[in-house]
Amino acid sequence: MLVLALVAGGAWGAWTWLGRDTGAARAAAEKVAAGLAAGELPPGVVTGEPTGEGEGLAAIVEDMEGAKHAVSVASVTEPESGSATATLRHEWSVPGAEKPWTYETPVELRKGDETWTGVWSPAMVAPDLTDAETLRLKRTQAERADILGPDGKPIVTERPIQRVGIDKTKVSGAAAATSARALGTALDINVDKFVTAVQQAGPKAFVEAITVRSGSPEEQAARAVDAPGVFLVAGTRELAPTATFARPILGTVGEATAEIIEKSGGTVSAGDVVGKGGIQEAQNAQLSGQPGVTVSAVGGGDPRVLFETAPVAGKPVTVTLDIATQNAAEAALADIEPASAIVAIRPSTGAVLAAASGPGSNGQSTATQGRFPPGSTFKTVSTLALLRSGVTPSTPVECTQTFVVDGRQFKNVDSYPKDALGKVPFSTAFANSCNTAFMRLGADLEPAALPTAAAGLGLTADPSLGVPTFLGSVPTPKPGTDEAASMIGQSKVQASPLGMATVAASIAAGKTVTPTLVTGVEPDASDGDGGAGSSALPTASPSGSASASPASPAASGSPAASPTGATPTPSNPITAAEAKQLQTLMRGVVEQGSADFLLDVPGAPVLAKTGTAEFGEAGALKEHAWMIGIQGDLAVAVLVVEGEGGASTAGPVLEKFLRAVA
């Protein structure tokens, strides 16, 4: 019995030590796995790892930057004679790859002085990796898709370009700097910055100054520079028909900047071509497609491909912009110095046919993101609220040159016709834009009347247009001066040209119109906010009112956008009968009011409303000039920032545009 007890005790002890070794071996394997995942093996985790420069784990994974490596212990063999083998399970999340790269590798474990460690081998990092090999990650960009017009023909597509710069294999030293200065001067770029870049570049570098369209004046200017090292490299790039065509809306395509790469979380690498601004940026995921990824073992002879995915071409995005209409809008704005915009919508469908921002907008989309008081063009909204309160076109109203509210004096424009003062039909007050009549009538409206009317005309909706946009904001006015100023489109009322074009479109269609700009967008493909986006433009504040941020949908009387991006129908949309009255009133502006210059525009009769919005400090007031118009199945809004009056500044722009598209 004693012998049996001793044998049993010895067996129990052996199993105890074996269990301890198994646990210790697994713990050592876990440390190896953690070090491999981190890209660095701490001292004591493995034995035999080379420590020279360009050797060991860090050198092997150096070119895998951007990929995330997860390693776990799949299994550990039973220890035997101080040795065991662990199987590690690897998973690399490679930017751009739809699925991870997974595999298993062995790692030998040995017990030293009561301590288990791993034994270094490159094969623990990747399958069959040798001492001479390292890993290299290469991404291949997919073919970028076009932006198509409503007819399915490309608007933005591959067009020939020239990359202009200095080839340092052909010039060096002081001569390279001299050539760079000559080229930079000819191209009107930042000369000192370009010269510095050339001086700091290596002896075999091509230092790009600018990318230009083939056949452009910039290309001709570069070719005229007679200096060594000036070099042009032909290529292609996704471009619109012209350099200015709807640029703030469409955006551009170019090499990713360091900032874009850093913010991408590894999905964008140096040299990648990405969308910058507008639709190109907002829909970059769909347009750019899926890059191809290759992981190879290199350095030991011919490269061995360990993991590979093929690039998947991008898918086109379709826009509603009409090339001829957009060109006409841009031509009408070409000579205007301050920021300006024209937006044209087809009321029957809501399609945005043109969204042009003039050269004074400096690349910003005044057309779709500008936030300005709409002035008297907003009287179309106020009139809808008044019609719903019982006012008719023939209702007699009091129009005086001035009107005092809570001690503040409001007035009509100095050129207001004297024969339209006094007791006049509401239609006359509308045609001549009598501020004081609207203010008197507004005092009897319910507080929610203006926000409700604005929502009924689509002004305060938040549609998903595929790019950041802003239509308008109409907070519930407070009694007194706020209410009076709101009736004439000032105080805290704000709108973009897109918003006021939507109002005109709703009046023309006899129903609430939701504008559309981008179609054919796949779910979750958008990188940008398709609804209201914050504008890079300054918020203009009308005189006598505080600067206000756009109100939330609840505050402005606008329904919140649905999760799918569709804009729900407002609670009180404009009706066909209401629209008919507004159409008649707007035609009166042309026939007997301030827009009589539109009487002879070819085509269907033009309906219009002028608008002037004051802003700035008392004694130094400035004006924004607005005008909206309807002609057949076309609704238009025009804005000239810091103009001199709706009829005198925005009016000729509208006329020029309508004649061009007639």
Side-chain angles (χ1 to χ4, degrees), residues 400-403 409-414 435-436 439 614:
T400 56
Q401 184 60 23
T402 61
F403 183 57
Q409 185 183 79
F410 294 88
K411 65 176 184 176
N412 293 321
V413 295
D414 293 337
N435 291 336
T436 60
M439 291 176 179
E614 292 182 340

Side-chain angles (χ1 to χ4, degrees), residues 591-633:
E591 292 180 338
Q592 56 175 305
S594 54
D596 56 355
F597 53 88
L598 298 174
L599 274 169
D600 63 347
V601 171
V606 178
L607 322 180
K609 183 68 191 79
T610 58
T612 303
E614 292 182 340
F615 71 100
E617 299 298 326
L621 294 176
K622 298 180 181 180
E623 296 176 341
H624 299 312
W626 286 86
M627 196 155 188
I628 59 174
I630 299 169
Q631 187 178 33
D633 198 18

Side-chain angles (χ1 to χ4, degrees), residues 322-536:
D322 176 73
I323 291 179
T325 307
Q326 179 72 24
N327 283 336
E330 293 185 3
L333 299 172
D335 297 328
I336 298 176
E337 291 186 6
S340 58
I342 294 177
V343 175
I345 294 176
R346 180 178 288 126
S348 60
T349 63
V352 177
L353 304 179
S357 299
S361 296
N362 296 320
Q364 302 296 329
S365 184
T366 306
T368 60
Q369 296 188 57
R371 298 169 183 247
F372 301 94
S376 290
T377 58
F378 186 76
K379 286 174 182 170
T380 52
V381 178
S382 302
T383 296
L384 177 58
L386 292 172
L387 292 174
R388 289 173 171 177
S389 73
V391 174
T392 69
S394 60
T395 298
V397 297
E398 188 70 27
C399 177
T400 56
Q401 184 60 23
T402 61
F403 183 57
V404 177
V405 180
D406 292 344
R408 177 184 169 187
Q409 185 183 79
F410 294 88
K411 65 176 184 176
N412 293 321
V413 295
D414 293 337
S415 59
Y416 192 87
K418 289 184 171 52
D419 59 359
L421 293 171
K423 205 79 165 179
V424 297
F426 177 74
S427 59
T428 299
F430 184 93
N432 293 280
S433 204
C434 180
N435 291 336
T436 60
F438 273 82
M439 291 176 179
R440 283 187 172 90
L441 294 168
D444 295 328
L445 289 176
E446 293 294 326
L450 278 184
T452 301
L457 287 164
L459 178 58
T460 51
D462 186 17
S464 180
L465 271 74
V467 287
T469 53
F470 169 76
L471 269 63
S473 172
V474 185
T476 301
K478 297 178 181 179
T481 56
D482 182 34
E483 182 179 64
S486 295
M487 287 294 292
I488 60 171
Q490 300 215 174
S491 190
K492 298 179 180 66
V493 176
Q494 290 185 320
S496 68
L498 174 63
M500 292 314 299
T502 300
V503 168
S506 296
I507 294 170
K511 62 180 181 180
T512 306
V513 169
T514 299
T516 58
L517 176 62
V518 180
T519 62
V521 176
E522 296 185 343
D524 301 325
S526 175
D527 293 334
D529 176 13
S534 59
S535 173

Side-chain angles (χ1 to χ4, degrees), residues 3 5 8 28 138-139 185 245 291 328 341 471 489 519 552 555 590 599 655 657:
V3 173
K138 181 181 179 182
R139 297 171 72 252
T185 301
F245 184 90
L471 269 63
T519 62
S552 66
V590 178
L599 274 169
E655 180 183 7
F657 172 73

Side-chain angles (χ1 to χ4, degrees), residues 192-219:
D192 291 339
K193 184 176 180 180
F194 181 54
V195 170
T196 300
V198 170
Q199 290 174 326
Q200 293 178 347
K204 296 182 179 180
F206 171 73
V207 186
E208 184 174 328
I210 192 173
T211 298
V212 301
R213 291 171 181 259
S214 294
S216 66
E218 292 84 0
E219 180 191 355

